[in-house]
Amino acid sequence: MENQALIKQLQATAVQLRCDVLEMIGVGKAGHWGGSASLAETMAVLYFHAMRVDRKNPKNPERDRFLLSKGHAALIQYAALCELGFFPREELQKVKSLHGLLQGHPDLTVPGIEAVTGSLGQGLSLGVGMALALRLDKSASRVYVVMGDGEQSEGQLWEAAMAAVNFKLDNLTAFLDWNKIQATGRTADVFAIPALDQKWKAFGWEVISIDGHDIGHILAAVDQAKAVKGKPTLVILDTVKGKGVSFAENTPAYHNGTFDEAKYAQAMAELEAQKAALEAEKEMI
Amino acid sequence: MEKKSLRTAYGESLVELGQSDANIVVLEADLGKSTMSCLFKDVYPERYFEMGIAEQSMASTAAGLALAGKIPFYSTFAVFAFGRAYDQIRCGIAIPGANVKICGSSCGFSDFGDGKTHQSIEDANVMRMIPNMVVLNPCDAVETRKMMRAMVAHQGPVYIRINRNDLPVYTPEAGEYRIGKMSRIVAGDDVVIFATGSMVWKSAEAAELLKAEGISAEVINVSTLKPLEKSEILTYIAGKKAIVTAEEATKLGGLGSAIAEQLIGEVDLPFVRVGIEDEFGTSAHSYAELLETFGLTERHIAAAVKTALKVK
Ligand SMILES: Cc1ncc(C[n+]2csc(CCOP(=O)(O)OP(=O)(O)O)c2C)c(N)n1
């Protein structure tokens, strides 16, 4: 596909994923809007272009592996898996309910989910394990891990960072969703971790810093990472927490917030308007 | 019955205790607005340490503060407070007997939406196994406040398990809490129900149901899970025809097991445990749904009493 057309299409996918997340959160129930919405473009690129996934055979050995280390953003992964047809759309309505498939955090009971996450700081180690196994099996599959910026304070994550370099895992790409807000507030105020890019570089990783809402940048970074040999790559995504819904953007309350009826309607209207605008642009191309 | 927040009781108690003792310091791992340790931060910011999302480091840092003469309280969700930092607790806190107070918040099913990774069904059970550790599980906000004072008075590590949801108040305002002491919530003759935490409430309701059927059940609040005083247990089983235990925790190694351990060779009475079977939780839209699904309601406790008494 021509690059501009692909970018437009993935932008539309990202907006659709945000709509799905909002639908899952619904009215009056707490849900992790902020950290899900900041990842929409990355998920669109990975699931709808870069990764090999197989909805008919979710355990296809040829697939790439995706691990959401910041497991509380499960809704954005459910949205992607649902749009790809891994499970029926009705499941979105039943999320986090007793009789639904979709748990509050990623669980192996859900087709397409590769690991149990939700206890922060563990995803990169899981990814290292999978990358080692794939290399032993001489597999061409790659491992993608998404981490939070608040999550960077977990020590285990740095143990895994060292392991990935020690084992020269160039089949592993990690993403850092640098949305600058964690559970209690702004990361700079809660627990400052300066110069994250330099820390990762010093640990021996290839580091690429990009605008995490720019599909073109994400596409390029994923390709660039594939070309790196002998070490793992970290893509730092400069993102806006809650992206896509004006009043929830860059707002700590929407880390795990609730939408009342009016707020929900406004949020959905904003997302629908974004969809319509992208449609209109598409027709112009 | 009026329900009150145990988390708010925790946060407000920290402030009160911090006022009378400048050695009290508080640590948190990015969940202070949930555990309510944030109340302490507002009043004593210089004695509040936000450690980042780094529970292992938080536990060992608390140990360091304690070894240097401070009285640290650290809090986060129960799963992370006890589980993520297990070896740090064992090595840095329990072995030296460091004066660290650990608060496992949002315990049991009270974090209903988040599912298995967040629902702590085994925290108190595991903490019981560690030498030197005192383990507390308050049944309401009033008891939480009293326990907090007792925790400071006690020199050594303590783990306190706190529900996220508000609970009805069953314990009296008057008097002080003594670690190890049990208390009678409902008096009765036929059977004794030893309950802990939220299950004190459900057991009291079960006693009401049973009364209507002519069964007189006594409800005992066992809010110190360790040390468990054998003399207390023996006092309350005297004259009863059966023993029932109730806990919002896995049955393995919890309150029921602990009481059974104490009674080996002592009595020959029917004994039925109410608790979570050997399985993880699941996400749900409400706490009540989970209590129902996992067999932890007043009806389940009443049924257990009838099983123990062999009545239909
Ligand atoms: C080990 C662990 N500690 C605490 C939590 C509770 N928790 C869930 S999300 C979160 C904040 C995460 O912040 P960040 O990594 O920046 O995620 P994002 O802002 O992208 O949502 C916390 C503390 C957890 N899930 N796991």
Side-chain angles (χ1 to χ4, degrees), chain A residues 32-36 38-39 69-73 105 117-122 146-154 176-185 187 239 241 254-256, chain B residues 29-31 52-55 76-77 79-80 84 114 117-118:
Chain A
H32 290 101
W33 167 258
S36 299
S38 57
L39 284 175
S69 189
K70 41 169 276 188
H72 57 279
H105 287 82
T117 53
S119 182
L120 291 166
Q122 303 183 15
V146 170
M147 307 173 289
D149 53 353
E151 187 187 11
Q152 300 294 304
S153 48
E154 282 290 1
L176 199 172
D177 183 5
W178 186 42
N179 62 26
K180 302 152 207 88
I181 293 175
Q182 55 193 97
T184 309
T187 301
T239 56
K241 194 154 174 172
Y254 282 92
H255 168 70
N256 188 13
Chain B
D30 197 22
L31 287 173
I53 312 169
E55 296 78 8
T76 178
F77 286 179
V79 268
F80 310 130
R84 185 54 164 271
D114 280 332
T117 54
H118 284 55

Side-chain angles (χ1 to χ4, degrees), chain A residues 29 32 95-98 103-105 107 109 116-122 150-151 153-154 156 182-184 190-191, chain B residues 30-33 50-56 80 84 112-118 281-285 289-290 293:
Chain A
K29 285 180 289 171
H32 290 101
V95 69
K96 292 206 248 178
S97 79
L98 217 40
Q103 291 285 308
H105 287 82
D107 196 311
T109 50
V116 171
T117 53
S119 182
L120 291 166
Q122 303 183 15
E151 187 187 11
S153 48
E154 282 290 1
Q156 181 183 349
Q182 55 193 97
T184 309
V190 175
F191 189 78
Chain B
D30 197 22
L31 287 173
K33 287 181 182 166
E50 171 54 69
M51 298 304 296
I53 312 169
E55 296 78 8
Q56 300 171 324
F80 310 130
R84 185 54 164 271
F112 50 84
D114 280 332
K116 303 179 179 103
T117 54
H118 284 55
T282 189
S283 288
H285 281 323
E289 274 182 315
L290 288 175
T293 304

